[in-house]
Amino acid sequence: MENISVGQYDLIYNAFSFAFATLAAATIFFWLGRSQVAPQYKTAMTITGLVTFIAAYHYFRIFESWEAAFNVADGTITATGYAFNRAYRYVDWLLTVPLLLVELILVMGLSRSETVSRATRLGLLAALMIVLGYPGEVATTNGARWLWGSLSMIPFLWIVYELFVGLSKSIAAQPEDARGLVSTARYVVVGSWAFYPIVYFAGAVGLDGGAAATVVEVGYTVADITAKAVFGVLIFLIAQRKSVAYFASLRSAGQPAE
Amino acid sequence: MENISVGQYDLIYNAFSFAFATLAAATIFFWLGRSQVAPQYKTAMTITGLVTFIAAYHYFRIFESWEAAFNVADGTITATGYAFNRAYRYVDWLLTVPLLLVELILVMGLSRSETVSRATRLGLLAALMIVLGYPGEVATTNGARWLWGSLSMIPFLWIVYELFVGLSKSIAAQPEDARGLVSTARYVVVGSWAFYPIVYFAGAVGLDGGAAATVVEVGYTVADITAKAVFGVLIFLIAQRKSVAYFASLRSAGQPAE
């Protein structure tokens, strides 16, 4: 990252600030939204907000680490010698990726035993995927990067299988006006995740310098906002549609609808 | 901005601090107001508060960036070499301008399909307007400023058309005591936006120096407060008027009205 330009530095800087603002705002949106869903979906909304809250915290740290790594004055950029901490992303994912799969399971309103078994399996697979990816991210040889990256793909593919084959029966059993959204939510998860291995292996084929850093950092940022905030809005819409009958029953009993 | 005086610097500094205080206070007003509107308007109030929350965050950053760009001591001002980050405004608008159009659609209480289609169209047009404006804002030639500024006017005019022609039927269908406020809200949006292109093209006709910076920064600040906080108060008043029947029905059922 020695050859980064002021323009590239600024773009990444503004992308980090944008992500912080978006994720912090999304957190409050989800937590306020708790009052607009039926009791059985409140935990899903709480966790949806936890995911964006944890991510907002890490983007704040990432922003500060980025600011500390370079000095930009009088239109020129110099490295300060303080390393940009790449580990923040992995620490974030280790917490947020299992949780966002749990959100999806919770909002589906499955039986208690199916909820526990699916949420546990998907959560552990997601954590394993992140843990296996990290040694490759910080590896100094391409061989190690390919090895750990490939190992990390095993739980990744297993998660894809669970979401598209394992869950297909449960999705078919969702109420009609929520079914399409639940299915879309799976595509948003897997679609936004597709970006991560592209960036990961870009490092293994020798892509480097300021342009590469820009693609990596801005790309991860867009993927994180999609997988956490956009995905969370889908979870909220699903929960809200599935709560219509609950609030209608309260109103017909003369109760306040919230 | 080399020729800025201490008085001009102080005026801009205080305007930024004023904007932060106003937008932060407005945020809390809107979120507390959620409990005073019927369930179908709660998301509109949440988003109204998100807009001012995101703007308050950016004014805090803008304030800090302004402070870092100049050193004022013993009555003299010197540039520190750290650039004032103009991009914060665009990052803010990219998030808040689509959201404030969504607020207006949500408080109108249209059908689900009309809400989705109008909110999506207006949100995307607003984002496009901001994205097209940015290259002109940072351009070094007047030609580029005019080009991008003119391109940005296309989605702007389309939004005006949507608000004044596309929405006219839906506004006519609003309850009588809210209709005038909904119509006024459109004028506040478009009226406050009219300031942005004036400032934008002021740069293209060669206006520069400390006086120009003061007009630009204070002008953008007044426009932001109007389009976000004042507009938000109108959204709250509309939601409150449309909630009167709901709370009356709760009271007649012997329920607490909040």
Side-chain angles (χ1 to χ4, degrees), chain A residues 134-152:
Chain A
Y134 185 67
E137 178 78 43
V138 296
T140 49
T141 69
N142 283 342
R145 200 173 183 91
W146 280 107
L147 172 70
W148 290 105
S150 305
L151 288 174
S152 174

Side-chain angles (χ1 to χ4, degrees), chain A residues 13 30 51 66 68 82 168 241:
Chain A
Y13 180 98
F30 299 138
V51 166
W66 184 249
Y82 295 103
S168 58
R241 288 196 187 177

Side-chain angles (χ1 to χ4, degrees), chain A residues 14 17 36 74 254 257-258, chain B residues 34 42-43 57 81 85 246 255:
Chain A
N14 290 316
S17 178
Q36 294 163 265
D74 301 321
E258 219 190 279
Chain B
R34 282 179 82 256
K42 288 195 192 295
T43 305
Y57 164 75
N85 185 5
Y246 169 79
Q255 296 293 331

Side-chain angles (χ1 to χ4, degrees), chain A residues 41-87:
Chain A
Y41 303 119
K42 287 193 194 295
T43 305
M45 291 312 302
T46 303
I47 294 180
T48 303
L50 286 185
V51 166
T52 49
F53 172 77
I54 294 166
Y57 164 75
H58 284 112
Y59 270 93
F60 184 80
R61 288 281 190 207
I62 287 170
F63 179 88
E64 293 207 314
S65 179
W66 184 249
E67 224 179 0
F70 297 96
N71 189 40
V72 182
D74 301 321
T76 59
I77 182 168
T78 44
T80 56
Y82 295 103
F84 174 58
N85 184 7
R86 293 163 184 282

Side-chain angles (χ1 to χ4, degrees), chain B residues 9-101:
Chain B
Y9 171 85
D10 282 345
L11 180 62
I12 295 172
Y13 181 99
N14 290 318
F16 290 162
S17 179
F18 176 83
F20 171 76
T22 307
L23 292 163
T27 302
I28 297 166
F29 179 78
F30 299 137
W31 286 342
L32 290 179
R34 282 179 82 256
S35 72
Q36 295 162 264
V37 302
Q40 62 266 40
Y41 303 119
K42 288 195 192 295
T43 305
M45 291 312 300
T46 302
I47 295 179
T48 303
L50 285 185
V51 166
T52 49
F53 170 78
I54 294 166
Y57 164 75
H58 284 113
Y59 269 94
F60 186 79
R61 289 278 189 207
I62 286 169
F63 179 90
E64 292 206 315
S65 180
W66 184 251
E67 224 179 0
F70 297 97
N71 189 41
V72 182
D74 301 323
T76 59
I77 182 166
T78 44
T80 58
Y82 293 104
F84 174 59
N85 185 5
R86 293 164 183 282
Y88 280 135
R89 294 203 179 279
Y90 280 81
V91 174
D92 175 76
W93 295 335
L94 189 58
L95 281 165
T96 55
V97 178
L99 286 176
L100 64 88
L101 292 173

